Amino acid sequence: MEVLPAWNRKGGGLLVPNTHDGGSWQHVDHRAEIAYVADSDAHTNGNTRNLIRMMKAWQKHCSVPIKSLVLELRSVTFLSTWDRSAESTTFYDWMVRDFFAELVGKANSWHTIPGTSEKKQYGDAWLSKAQSAHRRAVKACEYELANKDLDAALEWQKIFGSQYEL
């Protein structure tokens, strides 16, 4: 566990030191980040947090070098435009497939951090793993449509790990 000094800012958020690139001060607003996800989750029938959990399982299982905050921000943005964002878990296979497709297209993009004016670049060190996950998700969805549930489950396990039963 790390301890990081922080000072309250007028208008909200915190001022924290950033030791990278010679040092600077950074404005963060964790409450705004939490509210951003919570608002999306309320509008998507709980799918936002579930998608984030699934993407973090992928991140861990496949050792994906992507920041968790990127997965959180991309999940909210993706679900804000996905036409089945408030549907039941029945559509999670399509949700994951479509999320990976969009994520692949966002390599080296930028996003403004909620509650701040700071922009973060997503980078692309994770791109090949996202492309692989997308191909596997497409294949798993095709297997499901063909009623090849075991084959589909094997593809999902390659993305998320053996915690998903066959």
Side-chain angles (χ1 to χ4, degrees):
M1 176 192 275
E2 293 181 25
V3 177
L4 181 67
W7 290 267
N8 288 318
R9 286 186 75 230
K10 288 182 182 175
L14 302 168
L15 190 62
V16 297
N18 178 353
T19 60
H20 295 92
D21 298 321
S24 63
W25 292 97
Q26 184 177 3
H27 174 210
V28 297
D29 191 341
H30 300 299
R31 288 184 191 103
E33 292 170 19
I34 291 167
Y36 185 68
V37 170
D39 183 54
S40 175
D41 204 49
H43 287 92
T44 63
N45 194 29
N47 291 334
T48 301
R49 284 196 173 102
N50 288 337
L51 178 58
I52 290 168
R53 283 184 197 104
M54 287 185 273
M55 291 305 108
K56 288 182 178 180
W58 164 67
Q59 176 190 35
K60 182 179 179 182
H61 175 69
C62 295
S63 301
V64 182
I66 191 169
K67 295 194 177 284
S68 292
L69 182 59
V70 170
L71 295 174
E72 293 167 11
L73 297 176
R74 287 299 335 141
S75 293
V76 171
T77 304
F78 165 74
L79 288 172
S80 72
T81 61
W82 193 58
D83 62 347
R84 298 189 184 276
S85 63
E87 297 285 344
S88 71
T89 59
T90 302
F91 292 95
Y92 275 14
D93 52 351
W94 291 2
M95 180 174 71
V96 168
R97 177 199 64 196
D98 295 351
F99 177 83
F100 280 128
E102 185 182 79
L103 182 63
V104 164
K106 296 301 179 183
N108 292 311
S109 294
W110 296 80
H111 193 91
T112 303
I113 305 300
T116 73
S117 59
E118 181 183 357
K119 292 190 180 286
K120 286 278 191 191
Q121 187 180 34
Y122 299 145
D124 66 359
W126 46 266
L127 182 57
S128 65
K129 293 194 179 209
Q131 290 167 327
S132 175
H134 178 248
R135 285 190 299 273
R136 292 188 185 288
V138 167
K139 191 182 286 188
C141 289
E142 290 169 355
Y143 283 145
E144 289 170 356
L145 285 173
N147 291 319
K148 296 180 177 180
D149 295 335
L150 181 60
D151 292 329
L154 288 170
E155 291 302 319
W156 291 122
Q157 282 189 342
K158 291 172 187 173
I159 297 170
F160 298 114
S162 60
Q163 64 196 12
Y164 297 92
E165 296 294 321
L166 299 177

